[in-house]
């Protein structure tokens, strides 16, 4: 059998620093790869005569380096390190690219790398489309806020009473409004930008619908109250296969919907919500929970119960989101859709859903 080597890579935008160790943890190769191309990595890795296990920290555009390493025949395994948990590097008093790469290689050799899930190419592409759509929505919200500011500066302006200021009637009224410059000019700019952003959002949504056709997991998640196409797509692609979570508690922890726990000297204290989590998944469950409490008796009753116990609104909605997360794991695990169950006589709202019986 050929010896196995361990490579730590300190990955940067334009270059990378590589440190390769042998089985005895001796440094056999130290090199700088510039630029980050498949050919340059192959040249460095070809200096050893055995399979190479590699690792690097998760950062922006980590998928590019992962695809390069995975395509090299001499690379036997690629481990993506959790940057937040790799504290030995962040807390080092002497920190250079070479030291970072060497410590990553040491951790990999000792099987101490805190690895994270690596989604497949298809899931990564879907995520980018969804996040692009969310980016345009945030930009649209900022432009709408600017429009509100302009209108608030007009004391004599009379706008029609409409349910949606940015609907057809509201837009038409703003275009006809008599406003002095420069506010008139600025309002026209903002309205043009809003039209462009609306078109971009629709284009991304059309692409989302095209890419997720006949997706069983998405259909299951969209059966939950408060979950539509966008929220469902976020949940589907961030969970990326429920089988990788041993139980519902693991999924809730991954989504950051459980509090931190500190136990010492026989005393246990629950603190703030977990920081090291999937922020997209947490956002999606929280957003879905706010809608669900208003349209579903079970989740609405759970929210009101928590409020009656003295919980703040944000705390209560987090409890609802955690319950939705647990139910999602159960539904995906059993491959069935959410069903409302009529409560029997004398039964509280806690018996309204079959999926929640065992939660």
């Amino acid at each position: 059998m050929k010896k196995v080597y361990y490579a730590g890579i300190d990955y940067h935008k334009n270059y990378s620093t590589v440190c390769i160790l042998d089985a005895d943890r001796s440094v056999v190769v130290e090199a700088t790869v510039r630029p980050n191309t498949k050919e340059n990595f192959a040249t460095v890795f070809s200096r050893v005569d055995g399979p190479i296990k590699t690792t690097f920290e998760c950062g922006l555009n980590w998928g590019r380096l992962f695809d390069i390493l995975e395509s090299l025949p001499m690379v036997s395994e690629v481990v993506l390190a959790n940057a937040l948990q790799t504290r030995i590097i962040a807390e080092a008093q002497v920190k250079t690219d070479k030291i970072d790469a060497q410590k990553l290689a040491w951790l990999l050799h000792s099987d101490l790398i805190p690895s994270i899930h690596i989604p497949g190419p298809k899931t990564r592409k879907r995520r980018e489309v969804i996040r692009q759509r969310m980016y345009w929505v945030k930009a649209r919200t900022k432009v709408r806020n600017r429009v509100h500011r302009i209108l608030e500066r007009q004391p004599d302006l009379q706008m029609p009473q409409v349910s949606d200021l940015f609907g057809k009637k509201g837009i038409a009224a703003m275009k006809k409004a008599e406003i002095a410059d420069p506010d008139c000019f600025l309002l026209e700019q903002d309205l043009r930008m809003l039209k462009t952003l609306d078109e971009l959002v629709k284009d991304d949504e059309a692409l989302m619908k095209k890419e997720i056709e006949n997706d069983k997991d998405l259909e299951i998640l969209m059966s939950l109250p408060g979950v539509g196409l966008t929220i469902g797509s976020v949940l589907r692609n961030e969970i990326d296969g429920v089988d990788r979570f041993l139980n519902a508690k693991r999924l809730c922890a991954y989504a950051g919907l459980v509090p931190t726990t500190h136990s010492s000297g026989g005393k246990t204290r629950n603190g703030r919500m977990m920081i090291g989590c999937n922020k997209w998944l947490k956002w999606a469950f929280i957003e879905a929970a706010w809608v669900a409490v208003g349209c579903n008796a079970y989740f609405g009753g759970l929210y009101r119960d928590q409020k009656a116990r003295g919980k703040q609104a944000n705390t209560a909605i987090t409890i609802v989101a955690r319950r939705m997360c647990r139910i999602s794991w159960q539904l995906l695990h059993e491959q069935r859709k959410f069903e409302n169950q009529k409560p029997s006589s004398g039964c509280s709202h806690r018996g309204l859903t079959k999926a929640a019986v065992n939660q």
Side-chain angles (χ1 to χ4, degrees):
M1 293 179 63
K2 293 185 177 180
K3 291 196 302 182
V4 178
Y5 294 87
Y6 304 86
I9 303 174
D10 189 43
Y11 178 48
H12 296 275
K13 179 179 179 181
N14 298 318
Y15 73 95
S16 296
T17 302
V18 180
C19 177
I20 303 179
L21 307 180
D22 60 14
D24 299 324
R25 294 181 65 177
S26 299
V27 177
V28 294
V29 174
E30 278 189 334
T32 299
V33 176
R34 188 190 305 269
N36 296 311
T37 63
K38 179 180 178 180
E39 293 74 17
N40 289 344
F41 275 102
T43 301
V44 172
F45 289 161
S46 63
R47 299 181 189 178
V48 297
D49 58 352
I52 305 174
K53 292 184 178 181
T54 64
T55 186
F56 66 98
E57 288 184 311
C58 178
L60 293 176
N61 290 326
W62 62 267
R64 178 190 173 197
L65 179 58
F66 176 81
D67 291 337
I68 289 174
L69 297 176
E70 196 177 40
S71 64
L72 296 176
M74 66 282 290
V75 175
S76 60
E77 183 181 358
V78 182
V79 178
L80 190 60
N82 188 323
L84 183 64
Q85 296 183 15
T86 313
R87 300 179 63 87
I88 189 173
I89 294 176
E91 296 178 350
Q93 295 184 12
V94 180
K95 189 176 185 299
T96 66
D97 293 345
K98 288 185 178 180
I99 292 176
D100 289 354
Q102 189 177 48
K103 288 184 176 179
L104 281 171
W106 286 349
L107 292 173
L108 181 63
H109 179 278
S110 303
D111 196 22
L112 294 175
I113 289 289
S115 61
I116 61 177
H117 172 66
I118 301 176
K122 187 175 181 180
T123 299
R124 297 207 301 269
K125 291 178 181 178
R126 286 179 173 179
R127 285 182 177 180
E128 293 304 319
V129 175
I130 297 168
R131 292 175 183 180
Q132 179 85 326
R133 187 260 182 198
M134 295 168 69
Y135 174 82
W136 294 134
V137 170
K138 289 181 180 179
R140 184 174 63 183
T141 300
K142 292 181 180 180
V143 177
R144 287 181 175 180
N145 290 338
R146 294 189 64 84
V147 171
H148 282 295
R149 288 179 58 190
I150 293 174
L151 297 179
E152 289 170 359
R153 291 200 295 264
Q154 318 305 319
D156 300 326
L157 179 63
Q158 296 294 328
M159 292 293 294
Q161 296 296 324
V162 293
S163 59
D164 182 10
L165 180 62
F166 299 98
K168 290 184 178 180
K169 291 183 179 180
I171 294 292
M174 284 188 281
K175 289 182 177 179
K176 295 178 181 178
E178 295 181 0
I179 301 175
D181 284 330
D183 284 347
C184 181
F185 174 76
L186 297 177
L187 181 60
E188 290 177 357
Q189 278 189 328
D190 290 338
L191 293 179
R192 290 200 304 270
M193 178 59 71
L194 283 176
K195 183 179 179 180
T196 300
L197 291 172
D198 285 337
E199 293 174 352
L200 293 173
V201 170
K202 290 179 181 179
D203 291 342
D204 288 343
E205 289 177 348
L207 184 57
M208 287 166 54
K209 291 179 181 178
K210 182 179 178 181
E211 292 187 350
I212 59 181
E213 291 179 352
N214 301 320
D215 192 311
K216 181 65 174 178
D217 284 357
L218 179 61
E219 292 179 5
I220 292 173
L221 291 168
M222 287 182 63
S223 69
L224 283 165
V227 178
L229 174 63
T230 301
I231 297 296
S233 298
V234 174
L235 296 176
R236 162 66 181 86
N237 290 286
E238 298 301 330
I239 293 175
D240 194 28
V242 75
D243 292 339
R244 66 190 184 97
F245 299 99
L246 182 63
N247 50 45
K249 292 182 180 179
R250 296 287 181 90
L251 179 58
C252 290
Y254 180 68
L257 296 173
V258 296
T260 55
T261 301
H262 303 275
S263 182
S264 179
K267 296 181 180 180
T268 301
R269 180 178 63 86
N270 292 325
R272 301 178 62 182
M273 305 305 290
M274 295 182 65
I275 298 176
C277 65
N278 187 314
K279 63 177 183 179
W280 298 99
L281 198 56
K282 182 177 182 179
W283 169 85
F285 275 120
I286 294 291
E287 289 294 311
W290 278 117
V291 178
V293 296
C295 67
N296 182 266
Y298 172 71
F299 294 112
L302 176 61
Y303 177 76
R304 289 188 294 272
D305 276 358
Q306 297 301 321
K307 290 280 288 182
R309 293 176 57 191
K311 302 290 186 181
Q312 297 293 326
N314 288 341
T315 303
I317 205 65
T318 301
I319 294 173
V320 176
R322 180 163 63 243
R323 183 65 59 85
M324 293 187 72
C325 184
R326 293 174 65 90
I327 292 174
S328 297
W329 183 90
Q330 192 75 25
L331 294 175
L332 292 171
H333 183 69
E334 298 178 4
Q335 285 293 289
R336 62 186 178 90
K337 294 183 179 181
F338 179 88
E339 297 177 9
N340 280 324
Q341 183 180 8
K342 293 182 180 180
S344 59
S345 58
C347 181
S348 69
H349 74 274
R350 292 182 178 84
L352 289 177
T353 170
K354 294 179 181 179
V357 172
N358 297 322
Q359 303 308 313

